[in-house]
Amino acid sequence: AQKVTQAQTEISVVEKEDVTLDCVYETRDTTYYLFWYKQPPSGELVFLIRRNSFDEQNEISGRYSWNFQKSTSSFNFTITASQVVDSAVYFCALSSLLDSSYKLIFGSGTRLLVRP
Amino acid sequence: DTEVTQTPKHLVMGMTNKKSLKCEQHMGHRAMYWYKQKAKKPPELMFVYSYEKLSINESVPSRFSPECPNSSLLNLHLHALQPEDSALYLCASSQDRTSYDNEQFFGPGTRLTVL
């Protein structure tokens, strides 16, 4: 079975703190893609990153960084020096060849609240 | 233009009403999706259109009827809904459905309330 687990339901931090959102996935496939989406209060899901299963290089984009570790089936997301505008629900998602419908399998989401 | 638009933003309807949700994209994408999202839950896939043909129906009740008039437009026709159908309805598009690495671009959603 394919599954994405985001164990942190809610995280609250004070502005400028660093915060890491955890994502653990399960799949029998060797070829798959992992995604992170942000959903601010406005409702729209905003694509943040896509990573394929053959590329374990970590990625940094401004204050955002992602750590992909196949050995632990994790794809964690870190926000450095968090800002109030980072407050949102963050979803990790998986897509693979095993599921021929190419569906996005979403985790349950982590609600991040950044307080001023 | 990398935007998916949805109208209306909010919709309140009675259980006997008929209404439609509209989604539009001009990115040349050939796959379009409808999702339903309840509060504090992840989006749940409802339908997928690929090249204007319905390719996935996730066992959605017939009171929801999708339509894809052309490659840029996706509608969701609603009839005889129940209060438990109240949710955020999200539309998304991607380059095509068969490439699992294609990210989906989401619209802002229609917040539906069924009284």
Side-chain angles (χ1 to χ4, degrees), chain B residues 57-82:
Chain B
N57 176 341
E58 292 283 292
S59 304
V60 179
S62 59
R63 58 185 184 269
F64 295 91
S65 174
E67 179 198 18
C68 190
N70 60 57
S71 59
S72 302
L73 275 176
L74 185 66
N75 298 321
L76 186 63
H77 303 297
L78 315 172
H79 174 54
L81 295 193
Q82 305 294 312

Side-chain angles (χ1 to χ4, degrees), chain A residues 2-97:
Chain A
Q2 300 193 96
K3 189 178 173 184
V4 176
T5 301
Q6 295 180 256
Q8 303 149 309
T9 309
E10 286 191 23
I11 301 176
S12 180
V13 299
V14 176
E15 206 169 19
K16 296 185 185 163
E17 280 184 30
D18 298 347
V19 58
T20 295
L21 309 183
D22 297 332
C23 173
V24 173
Y25 62 92
E26 292 174 35
T27 179
R28 288 176 290 131
D29 205 351
T30 56
T31 306
Y32 51 89
Y33 271 80
L34 295 164
F35 302 81
W36 275 96
Y37 282 88
K38 173 183 180 180
Q39 188 173 37
S42 58
E44 178 177 353
L45 270 86
V46 178
F47 167 78
L48 295 178
I49 191 172
R50 174 187 66 210
R51 171 67 73 217
N52 77 52
S53 52
F54 299 110
D55 182 1
E56 283 195 76
Q57 267 197 324
N58 292 331
E59 180 151 341
I60 298 175
S61 175
R63 296 184 297 107
Y64 294 170
S65 62
W66 290 269
N67 181 277
F68 176 31
Q69 292 199 342
K70 281 176 82 168
S71 59
T72 55
S73 298
S74 65
F75 186 43
N76 296 338
F77 172 32
T78 297
I79 302 175
T80 303
S82 59
Q83 299 176 2
V84 172
V85 293
D86 296 326
S87 296
V89 180
Y90 291 85
F91 290 100
C92 181
L94 165 73
S95 174
S96 80
L97 280 176

Side-chain angles (χ1 to χ4, degrees), chain A residues 10 31-33 35 37 39 41-47 50 54 91 95-97 100-104 106-109 111, chain B residues 3-4 33 35 37 40-45 48 56 58 88 90 97-109 111:
Chain A
E10 286 191 23
T31 306
Y32 51 89
Y33 271 80
F35 302 81
Y37 282 88
Q39 188 173 37
S42 58
E44 178 177 353
L45 270 86
V46 178
F47 167 78
R50 174 187 66 210
F54 299 110
F91 290 100
S95 174
S96 80
L97 280 176
S100 60
S101 67
Y102 302 98
K103 286 192 295 191
L104 278 177
F106 284 96
S108 54
R111 183 175 300 273
Chain B
E3 197 179 36
V4 176
Y33 309 75
Y35 287 85
Q37 187 180 22
K40 300 194 175 185
K41 297 287 187 186
E44 294 174 30
L45 184 65
V48 181
I56 295 177
E58 292 283 292
L88 179 68
L90 292 161
R97 186 182 77 75
T98 58
S99 186
Y100 65 98
D101 61 336
N102 280 331
E103 65 263 30
Q104 295 180 22
F105 292 83
F106 284 81
R111 203 164 290 279

